[in-house]
Structure formats: structure tokens, C-alpha cells
Amino acid sequence: MLKSALGGLVVLTGAITLFTSCSGNDESGARPGSGNETATFTEADLPHWVVEPVTLIDESDNYMPGQIQGLQVMPNGHIVVMDRTPISIHQFDDSGNWLRQVSREGSGPGELEPWNQIQYAPNGIAVGRMDGTVMLYEPGDDNLIRFSRDFNIQSEDRSSSFVRMLEPGRLLYQSTNRVEITDNSDPDQMMPEFRYGTAFFMNEDGEILRDSVYSTVQHAPLLSISGGGTSIQVHYLPWRFSTAQAFTTDGSIIIGDPENGEIITINANGEEISRSIFRIEERMVTREELNRALEDIPREEHRRAESRIKPHKPAFTRILADDSNRLWLQTSRSDDGFTYVITDLNANPLGRMELPAFHNLAAVRNGRLYIRYTPDDDLHEVRVASLNL
């Protein structure tokens, strides 16, 4: 049963317009800074699509949501949710009715560890454990998802983590550089500003199929240490230029560089098939915005925090790919919510959309937006909005 989250029916308006002047694949091969770029656009230039999320999954006799951390949508529309309190996986039908608990916390076959994350597999879902085991959960003839099998990839390199199964026998892993802490009193030793990663392919026997598919950059939060090292505070700064990743339903990988707006598409074999530019106009960080971002950071840490915030905002902070060959790029986030620009696979803009605060877009499938509603002071929910494009 659907109930309104904002007091009305689901509405989506706005014509679809293809801005050919913003193409990222012009024949000249122009790149930012070359002097030959095509015209940029602003969010206000685009058709505004209004969506109103309504609740699809909330408290019921069989399920009490705690902290909804992950969400996957199956091809038949069934929804798989990973909850953090307690850690568990649940399956719902396409109307949000609870079907079964797929897994719970434990150390047995198919059971979860506290830090686990739900990941994609071609015919179900996958979860990687700390010991290198990857657990697969797949639907049976009744469409109910159950633990299917696992395989163990022994590795002493704890900096490598399982990302997803692209296809049977081809796993995507990512390694990050290790940081050797030499001075526990120095927060920049404990948590340096940049963490570099390398994505690679591996099979189920632990054999590396391709050792370097693409690279990533992640920005760490700001640490401040006080009380002679007895207290550590973690501050998450806005407008971070971290690599964005998305995955299409055909197994392609979308890599986004938010600093220059470049978007690269790689196929399931690791071969580059396209390179485009998301040409949103550069947006500067105002002094008012900067002061607001520093409000909860100790005064003595302001200079170090400001040095990690660039004067202009990233082109986007995350990317999602839907099942209709569109990209959803989160271009801004504020206390009021999130703004997304929707493009084709070549980064040509089609429209824009806003979601209210605490509405985290998790997937766009089957003409629906699936949203994790995660308020700080209330039960989490799964909400949905229809797309009539």
C-alpha cells in the first residue's frame, strides 16, 4: 500500500529536451581548457521534472525498519533491502509487501557481518565478507531469494574490496593505497586528504583477469585531534572531488571525474567505449556557503579545512545509471535536498529534478525512482516516485 509522503499524488512534469549544443562527443574531441568547448548549460536551463515520493516500505507486522543502508531492485520489480539495526537482508514484492528475511547477522553460511554491504550480481545479490568470501543470494523458481553459494578468495591484501559481480566468473574489485601511520598525533597521517584506488577484474578462483581497469580518487574526511590524542573528531566537508562510479544493466561501467566533468564508459571487458563531457557551468563556492560549511568545525581547524575545499563546486558528486540508458548526476546537495540532472549516455542533458532532504536516490528501474528515506530522528522507509517520460 502506498501512502503519500508529501500530501498528494505522484506528479512528473516537464518536456524532454535534448540539448545538442551540449554534446560531449563533438568531432573535434575538445576537452575542458582547450578553447574549443561547446556551450555550457546551467541547471535552470533544463526542463524541471517535479516528483513526489510516496512511501512503499515502512513498518509492518513482519518488518521494523531501523537504518536502511542498501537497496537493490530485481528485474521483476522485487526490492531487496539491507538494514543495519539489526543487520539483515529482506525481500519485498514490487508493491512493497514483505516476502521474507533473506539473511541475518552471524558467522555461518550466508550470514552477515556488521560492516557488510549489499552488492549487485547478475541473477541476485552478493555480499563480500572480511575473510575474502563472496556470498551469492539468488531467486528460486518461486522468485524468493535465498543463499545460493559462496566462494573464498584468499588475499592478504586487506586494502582490496569486492565491488560487484559483473557477470558469472568476472568480479570487480578495487584496491586503495595503504597509509602507514608514523605519527598518531598527526591527523593528516591517520587520514590523508586523498586515497587512490585501482579497479581490477578477478575470477571466482582468485585469478586476476585484468590488473588495472581504471583508477579512482577519494577524499577523506577532516580529522581533528584534541586532549593530547584522547579525542578524535571527524568532519565531512562538502563539495569533494571524488571519482563517481555507476553501472549499467548491460554490464558497462560509468566513471565520472567531477573536477572536469569527464564521463568515461567502459564495457564489461574493461575496454573504453565512449568519453563525454558533462558541460555544466562552473559554480563558485561563496563566502556565505563556506562559512556555513565550517560552522561545526573548531576555529583552529578552519584554515586546514578551507585548504581542502576548492573555490568551485564539482560538476557532480555521484552518478546513477537507469535501465533506459540515462544517467542521473547529483549536481548539488543542500539542507533542502538534492538536485539531479538527467542525461543520455553521452552526457547530453535532458532535464533536472529535486528530491527533498533525507531522500537518497538508490535506483531508477522499471519507470520508478527508488529512494531511501533516512531521517536522523525517525524510522527509515523506502519511497518511490513514478516516471512518465
Side-chain angles (χ1 to χ4, degrees):
M1 181 178 69
L2 300 180
K3 69 180 183 182
S4 174
L6 299 175
L9 298 176
V10 178
V11 180
L12 181 71
T13 61
I16 302 175
T17 304
L18 181 63
F19 288 76
T20 55
S21 65
C22 299
S23 171
N25 279 339
D26 55 72
E27 295 181 358
S28 67
R31 293 290 178 264
S34 67
N36 296 317
E37 298 89 35
T38 55
T40 60
F41 67 91
T42 68
E43 294 169 341
D45 296 331
L46 306 178
H48 182 203
W49 301 344
V50 180
V51 298
E52 183 179 340
V54 296
T55 298
L56 185 68
I57 296 171
D58 61 356
E59 178 183 355
S60 68
D61 291 339
N62 296 302
Y63 175 62
M64 172 68 74
Q67 293 182 325
I68 295 178
Q69 185 269 340
L71 184 156
Q72 297 276 357
V73 181
M74 307 303 292
N76 64 357
H78 285 193
I79 303 162
V80 183
V81 167
M82 175 172 275
D83 205 314
R84 282 286 181 205
T85 52
I87 184 167
S88 54
I89 298 175
H90 298 263
Q91 181 180 0
F92 303 82
D93 67 16
D94 58 356
S95 298
N97 300 305
W98 184 87
L99 296 177
R100 72 185 308 267
Q101 180 171 320
V102 177
S103 185
R104 64 183 181 182
E105 185 173 359
S107 56
E111 293 182 331
L112 306 170
E113 296 173 332
W115 63 273
N116 281 146
Q117 293 185 338
I118 188 172
Q119 306 290 7
Y120 171 86
N123 188 36
I125 58 173
V127 171
R129 294 179 65 90
M130 181 73 76
D131 63 1
T133 300
V134 176
M135 303 181 296
L136 298 180
Y137 307 80
E138 297 178 315
D141 294 338
D142 56 3
N143 286 322
L144 294 180
I145 295 174
R146 300 176 178 87
F147 172 64
S148 172
R149 63 188 178 90
D150 60 25
F151 48 90
N152 188 280
I153 297 177
Q154 295 291 339
S155 174
E156 296 181 358
D157 184 4
R158 296 306 184 195
S159 66
S160 293
S161 58
F162 170 71
V163 177
R164 64 193 280 127
M165 177 180 279
L166 297 172
E167 57 189 32
R170 187 181 295 269
L171 313 175
L172 180 64
Y173 275 74
Q174 182 169 303
S175 64
T176 55
N177 65 325
R178 287 188 174 187
V179 178
E180 300 296 337
I181 300 175
T182 57
D183 182 357
N184 289 336
S185 65
D186 183 354
D188 285 327
Q189 286 283 348
M190 298 181 66
M191 190 69 73
E193 181 175 3
F194 302 101
R195 292 177 65 87
Y196 299 95
T198 301
F200 59 95
F201 292 153
M202 186 182 293
N203 66 18
E204 295 182 15
D205 295 324
E207 177 187 0
I208 294 179
L209 304 176
R210 185 162 180 171
D211 61 3
S212 181
V213 182
Y214 59 89
S215 299
T216 62
V217 178
Q218 294 290 90
H219 285 264
L222 183 77
L223 291 187
S224 58
I225 299 178
S226 59
T230 60
S231 174
I232 298 178
Q233 290 183 305
V234 181
H235 308 284
Y236 292 93
L237 303 175
W239 314 302
R240 310 305 282 143
F241 288 76
S242 297
T243 303
Q245 304 177 61
F247 304 89
T248 66
T249 53
D250 67 359
S252 295
I253 306 168
I254 309 294
I255 310 299
D257 183 342
E259 184 160 13
N260 60 26
E262 189 169 58
I263 296 176
I264 302 171
T265 302
I266 300 170
N267 65 20
N269 294 320
E271 302 161 335
E272 181 178 323
I273 57 178
S274 71
R275 187 178 291 248
S276 307
I277 299 295
F278 180 67
R279 301 189 184 280
I280 191 168
E281 186 176 274
E282 188 172 80
R283 298 161 298 167
M284 306 306 293
V285 177
T286 67
R287 172 47 61 177
E288 180 182 3
E289 290 174 323
L290 187 59
N291 290 340
R292 193 180 309 122
L294 301 177
E295 282 179 348
D296 297 326
I297 297 177
R299 174 69 60 179
E300 61 270 18
E301 297 289 346
H302 279 199
R303 179 169 296 182
R304 191 160 66 95
E306 285 195 46
S307 70
R308 295 190 176 200
I309 298 177
K310 294 194 176 185
H312 64 283
K313 300 175 182 179
F316 45 79
T317 52
R318 66 187 295 245
I319 303 177
L320 290 88
D322 66 18
D323 55 354
S324 297
N325 292 324
R326 291 183 297 244
L327 301 180
W328 297 67
L329 293 91
Q330 183 179 301
T331 55
S332 62
R333 176 179 183 175
S334 68
D335 292 340
D336 296 327
F338 309 87
T339 298
Y340 286 86
V341 170
I342 302 92
T343 76
D344 63 18
L345 286 181
N346 292 321
N348 298 307
L350 306 173
R352 64 182 169 96
M353 177 204 70
E354 284 82 31
L355 285 176
F358 308 116
H359 287 67
N360 303 279
L361 186 59
V364 183
R365 297 286 185 271
N366 311 314
R368 287 173 146 190
L369 279 69
Y370 294 87
I371 298 157
R372 293 186 303 111
Y373 174 60
T374 58
D376 294 330
D377 56 355
D378 201 356
L379 292 177
H380 289 192
E381 298 177 355
V382 174
R383 293 182 173 177
V384 64
S386 295
L387 285 175
N388 301 306
L389 305 182

